[in-house]
Amino acid sequence: MERYDKENMVLKRVSQPKADRLEPVPLSDSTMEERRKNLLRAMEEEQIDCLIIYGDLEHGSNFEYLTGFLPRFEEALLVIHRKDTAFLLLGNENLKMARHSRIQAQPVHVPAFSLPNQPMDRGLTVRDGLMQARTAEAGRIGVVGWKLLEEKCPDQDGLFDVPYYIVDALKKLTGEKTQIINKTGIFIHPGHGIRTVNNCNEIAHYEFGSALSANCVLDAMNQLGPGKTEMEIGSSLKIWGQPNSVVSISAAGERFQDASLYPGRKRIKTGDKLSLTTGFKGGLTSRSGYAVSCKEELPEDSRDYLERVAAPYYAAMAAWLEQIKIGMKGGEMYRLIETVLPKDTYGWSLNPGHLTADEEWLSSPIWKDSAHLLKSGMLLQADIIPSVPGYGGAGAESGIALADEDLRNQLKEHYPETWARIEERRDYIKEELGILLHQEVLPLSCLTGYYRPFMLDRDRAFTVGR
């Protein structure tokens, strides 16, 4: 633990990481077929006759995992039977998407899933749509939303995180003879969820978004300067028309004034607290610090920010990156961060690390006493957020993948450009930042491990001293 003493975190001149040259990697037909088979296998193991998967724009990743598309501004259901029959219940403007679906499914028009006041004179009611999808034939039905209510709220049996009118229609259709249970965990449970582990095609696919978010934040950091507005800096956080997985943050000074979440006209002043965040499918990048070039420019009552907050935080980040590995229990990582950065002193409250995928936070295997193992194929982010009264925040969240030798060899063979970027990042992290990664740790962006708390100083960043 001496290595992770805050005194060993040295702010010094380093070469900036280089933004990555990127091309999107599509999900292959074989990957989509593998996903379908994995789901059917899980349904067989859990004796689920029929699975009803809900989707909307914000809560559609489990739906998209099989169909390849989100229902945009509408709602939708994918109904899949253990015998491999599937139905897509879609509103007016998404009905056409059935023919593009990556999983073969019979379309069912349910106009109630459409926008308010759109025509409802064609198609079926929700109940009749569920009947056409043969849900009444099933003895045991799983409903998939997006939360792990069955694990986190065990005393509240029968909770579903999908709209009430859908659950009500399902219950009235099937009656008491049918068991209806929340089965979101079949997708995202950190121990056995099928979405928590990725193949090499999926890692290459998601690396694009993770790396892209870092490119954007690096550009935003290099645009920072007194007099610039939050909106001017925020323009760097969106690119190429890609959909964000989170609300982008470009915030100077005190955040959330007048309940505002979005970049505004506020101009950056020397000494301001600063926060920058953007995320795409595959990963988020976030950086927090102060709009200063040196200690002397910090607010007078925060001149010890480096020693009090930033250096201890970076020690925890270095420990997270150096110690994470395949086979580690989530509880071990929790204890490591609690040792290096005690919660009672530094005020962090969330899981010190979580899984990511199409959405920014999939689920997390990391909490106190968690016995869940970190596995090859997992995508993780080091989400450690200190909160020390009287000081601005410190943040350097970026993503990694865990990959065993076989998975690494597949990446090298099938995605050599992705692999070359990963190797270049590993070399940078070792040579410039002094962080030593296990061989199975694959940095997914150019900013993994890179943190400059004095955000107007483009030359200096934290390193591990020895």
Side-chain angles (χ1 to χ4, degrees), residues 419-437:
W419 183 253
R421 287 192 294 271
I422 288 169
E423 286 197 308
E424 187 173 345
R425 293 170 196 145
R426 283 180 55 90
D427 289 343
Y428 174 86
I429 290 169
K430 177 182 178 181
E431 301 301 328
E432 290 289 337
L433 306 180
I435 292 175
L436 309 175
L437 304 176

Side-chain angles (χ1 to χ4, degrees), residues 247-263:
V247 172
S248 296
I249 298 170
S250 172
E254 296 301 323
R255 289 180 61 189
F256 309 128
Q257 290 178 328
D258 298 323
S260 177
L261 295 176
Y262 313 114

Side-chain angles (χ1 to χ4, degrees), residues 255 274-277 286-290 305 313 392-397 451-455:
R255 289 180 61 189
L274 284 178
S275 296
L276 299 170
T277 299
S286 184
R287 293 296 183 271
S288 298
Y290 277 91
Y305 164 75
Y313 165 76
E397 184 176 355
Y451 179 46
R452 54 193 209 216
F454 297 162
M455 295 179 74

Side-chain angles (χ1 to χ4, degrees), residues 346-363:
Y346 293 98
W348 52 271
S349 59
L350 302 181
N351 313 56
H354 61 83
L355 301 172
T356 190
D358 289 290
E359 58 272 75
E360 189 269 329
W361 186 301
L362 181 71
S363 61

Side-chain angles (χ1 to χ4, degrees), residues 12 53 75 101 226 232 255 284 308 368 376 391 399 411:
K12 72 175 188 179
I53 304 159
E75 296 167 300
S101 174
E232 286 179 282
R255 289 180 61 189
L284 167 145
R308 181 70 179 84
K368 186 177 181 180
S376 177
Y391 297 88
L411 278 166

Side-chain angles (χ1 to χ4, degrees), residues 60-73:
S61 295
N62 294 320
F63 177 94
E64 184 182 16
Y65 184 74
L66 296 166
T67 65
F69 71 94
L70 287 169
R72 302 182 295 169
F73 37 76

Side-chain angles (χ1 to χ4, degrees), residues 49 135-142 170-171 173-181:
D49 300 314
T135 57
E137 302 172 14
R140 195 161 187 256
I141 296 175
L170 180 63
K171 288 184 174 181
L173 173 64
T174 58
E176 295 183 1
K177 63 181 177 62
T178 302
Q179 184 182 14
I180 303 172
I181 52 179

